[in-house]
Amino acid sequence: LCLGGLIAFSLAFMDQTIKNPDQVESYLRQPQLGTIPWVMDFDKNNALYKCLEERSCYDFTEALRLIRANLPYLVPIRDSAANAHNCRVFLITSTLSGEGKSGCASSIAVLTAKTGKKVLLLDADLRKSTVERIFDLSPKVGFAQILAGEATLEESIIKGVIEPTFDILPCGPIPPNPAELLVSESFGAIVKKLRENYDYVFIDSPPALFLA
């Protein structure tokens, strides 16, 4: 019994995994916007926004609404001038691929557009685009081509997807040099231009652990 207790105590002491949401804030020292429950989406192909109208996914929808309600407090508006257009830009990532990052980002963007805000979902995952599959898009040009100087914003943005105020800037054909395109000065210029036309810009990025 003593040996078993010692082994159990040792394993618990060495376990550094996160067990509950409160540990997220204590370990990362970052505010927690909400906790999204796990949802089976085998028949939806990561299109989690389709769950927003289903009664069986009430917990999932309310969790996303809580996050949407907390977003304005995470990034307060600093310029309150009457002639200033206030836009919030959020980049959404995850640790690994397949954790639901793109599905949750799309759902939060759709919910934000339902409030009447003008929203853009920017697909910056230039290695493995999921947004195009989620919304069943097959664009000939997109964000990658804009960064490469081969297309313009006006011809690449798909307007009125799902909601009248919800636009998507897809990735487009996968480029051979995604990391180099993302660190170019064009990225900042594009985001600056998007700020002038939208209330919220959500950027779906690659997973953070193994990719640049």
Side-chain angles (χ1 to χ4, degrees):
L1 288 175
C2 292
L3 180 60
L6 180 61
I7 293 174
F9 177 80
S10 300
L11 291 175
F13 180 77
M14 292 185 296
D15 186 4
Q16 299 296 317
T17 58
I18 292 176
K19 300 297 184 183
N20 57 69
D22 293 335
Q23 290 179 319
V24 175
E25 292 190 355
S26 62
Y27 285 148
L28 303 180
R29 297 181 181 180
Q30 295 292 331
Q32 180 179 279
L33 296 180
T35 303
I36 302 174
W38 181 75
V39 176
M40 289 184 63
D41 71 326
F42 299 124
D43 58 331
K44 298 179 178 61
N45 196 25
N46 281 331
L48 294 179
Y49 71 90
K50 296 180 181 179
C51 297
L52 300 179
E53 306 298 332
E54 298 180 6
R55 294 181 180 273
S56 59
C57 299
Y58 177 81
D59 292 341
F60 172 75
T61 305
E62 286 303 306
L64 293 179
R65 284 175 176 156
L66 176 62
I67 293 175
R68 181 198 66 192
N70 286 331
L71 289 181
Y73 303 101
L74 181 68
V75 182
I77 293 298
R78 296 175 181 175
D79 190 352
S80 58
N83 59 347
H85 180 76
N86 296 318
C87 175
R88 294 180 172 93
V89 180
F90 296 95
L91 184 141
I92 298 151
T93 187
S94 66
T95 307
L96 301 171
S97 178
E99 293 179 331
K101 162 184 59 66
S102 299
C104 290
S106 302
S107 300
I108 294 172
V110 171
L111 276 176
T112 306
K114 286 180 179 291
T115 64
K117 300 294 185 181
K118 197 169 183 182
V119 177
L120 176 80
L121 177 61
L122 193 164
D123 185 2
D125 192 346
L126 303 187
R127 291 181 176 86
K128 183 182 177 183
S129 173
T130 306
V131 171
E132 294 177 8
R133 186 173 75 248
I134 289 175
F135 293 97
D136 194 22
L137 304 174
S138 54
K140 296 181 180 180
V141 293
F143 184 53
Q145 286 65 49
I146 298 175
L147 291 175
E150 300 172 357
T152 63
L153 271 176
E154 290 72 19
E155 64 180 319
S156 302
I157 293 178
I158 302 175
K159 298 183 178 293
V161 182
I162 308 299
E163 295 289 330
T165 58
F166 179 51
D167 299 345
I168 294 178
L169 178 52
C171 167
I174 301 297
N177 56 338
E180 287 73 18
L181 289 177
L182 289 175
V183 298
S184 65
E185 295 183 359
S186 301
F187 198 167
I190 292 171
V191 174
K192 183 178 180 180
K193 190 171 182 180
L194 292 174
R195 283 178 178 271
E196 301 173 359
N197 300 316
Y198 292 93
D199 299 311
Y200 286 84
V201 175
F202 295 95
I203 303 175
D204 180 36
S205 79
L209 188 57
F210 295 120
L211 300 176

